[in-house]
Amino acid sequence: MLCLGFTTNLLGSHAFFNDLCSFSSKCIVWGYGFLKYYSERRFFIGGEDIISTNIYLVRHAHSIYTPDEIGRPLSPKGIKDAGKAKEILLGMDITVIISSPYARAIQTVQGLYDELGCVFEIWDELRERKISKEPVKDFNAAMDMLWGDYNFSFEGGESNQVAQLRGIKGINKVLDKFEGENIVIGTHGNIMVLIMNYFDNNYDYSFWKQLKMPDIYKLSFKSGKIKEIAHVK
């Protein structure tokens, strides 16, 4: 009788132990998810809530040159390479995609949007810098002049300083609207490097010359302040 009672109590205790383990496991899983969110999005320092925002600047893939600056499409190689960039970005927990209004930038990030179905917006602030009112005869010489003097501009075009401030205005707008998110921005070589140069002058004309098509750089911010710029390979 005592043995039966002891066995019954033991079985009851065993069931209770199983329930407790199950509950604890659920708490651990929930807690891991909660901590994972905060490790990726938020940091607490001295009681202050520090929000992490990551911006992935994506230079467009190779395009077919045409005089139509806005409608110029990707080349077959560009389409293939944009697919490779998409595969890289799929592992970055992207929640927002923003693009320059130019076709080659949109096409470079279109595949990522098709896969994720997330927020997709077109922002004029992130278009390529305007070189001049009319096409320049020597593109490389024009770049030498523009990057050699940040205040210089051709007629109807943007100086480095003007284009940079426009780009930074766009970045600040992104940080205000999408704080705490992982954002992809489909953009262009000149404006992309000018944005990065604003935060770190090591990203200069020489750096722009070696930039690939496409290329990806991650800008990490904590509560709106730049913390790191890193190449994404």
Side-chain angles (χ1 to χ4, degrees), residues 33-205:
F34 180 80
L35 290 173
K36 183 173 185 292
Y37 172 84
Y38 277 91
S39 68
E40 292 174 351
R41 297 283 199 276
R42 297 165 113 54
F43 296 81
F44 293 90
I45 301 175
E48 183 182 359
D49 189 1
I50 307 298
I51 303 175
S52 175
T53 306
N54 297 307
I55 295 177
Y56 295 84
L57 294 177
V58 182
R59 186 191 191 183
H60 66 79
H62 185 266
S63 61
I64 300 169
Y65 179 76
T66 71
D68 181 5
E69 180 70 359
I70 296 176
R72 186 198 312 173
L74 293 184
S75 66
K77 180 182 186 306
I79 293 171
K80 182 179 179 180
D81 290 342
K84 295 177 183 177
K86 178 196 76 172
E87 293 303 318
I88 293 171
L89 291 166
L90 280 173
M92 304 299 172
D93 190 25
I94 303 302
T95 52
V96 177
I97 300 173
I98 301 170
S99 179
S100 150
Y102 293 5
R104 57 192 184 277
I106 295 172
Q107 288 180 325
T108 299
V109 296
Q110 181 71 48
L112 183 65
Y113 169 71
D114 291 342
E115 191 88 16
L116 298 177
C118 59
V119 174
F120 191 116
E121 298 185 3
I122 305 295
W123 288 19
D124 192 59
E125 294 93 335
L126 302 167
R127 70 184 187 278
E128 183 59 299
R129 68 103 51 84
K130 187 174 179 62
I131 298 174
S132 68
K133 182 179 179 180
E134 301 295 334
V136 295
K137 293 181 179 179
D138 188 331
F139 178 78
N140 291 328
M143 288 295 102
D144 286 342
M145 295 173 71
L146 288 166
W147 282 90
D149 180 353
Y150 271 50
N151 293 307
F152 172 78
S153 65
F154 292 101
E155 183 182 356
E158 294 176 300
S159 67
N160 271 19
Q161 185 178 38
V162 168
Q164 185 180 68
L165 290 176
R166 167 171 59 81
I168 291 300
K169 180 182 177 182
I171 293 299
N172 287 334
K173 183 177 168 183
V174 171
L175 292 171
D176 287 341
K177 186 173 182 179
F178 298 112
E179 189 177 35
E181 304 292 338
N182 291 323
I183 306 115
V184 159
I185 294 179
T187 188
H188 308 263
N190 256 244
I191 193 67
M192 175 173 166
V193 176
L194 285 169
I195 288 169
M196 294 162 67
N197 174 267
Y198 178 86
F199 299 109
D200 184 343
N201 59 19
N202 286 312
Y203 297 103
D204 56 11
Y205 185 33

Side-chain angles (χ1 to χ4, degrees), residues 12-25:
S13 298
H14 183 65
F16 173 77
F17 178 74
N18 284 340
D19 288 344
L20 181 62
C21 288
S22 176
F23 176 75
S24 299
S25 297

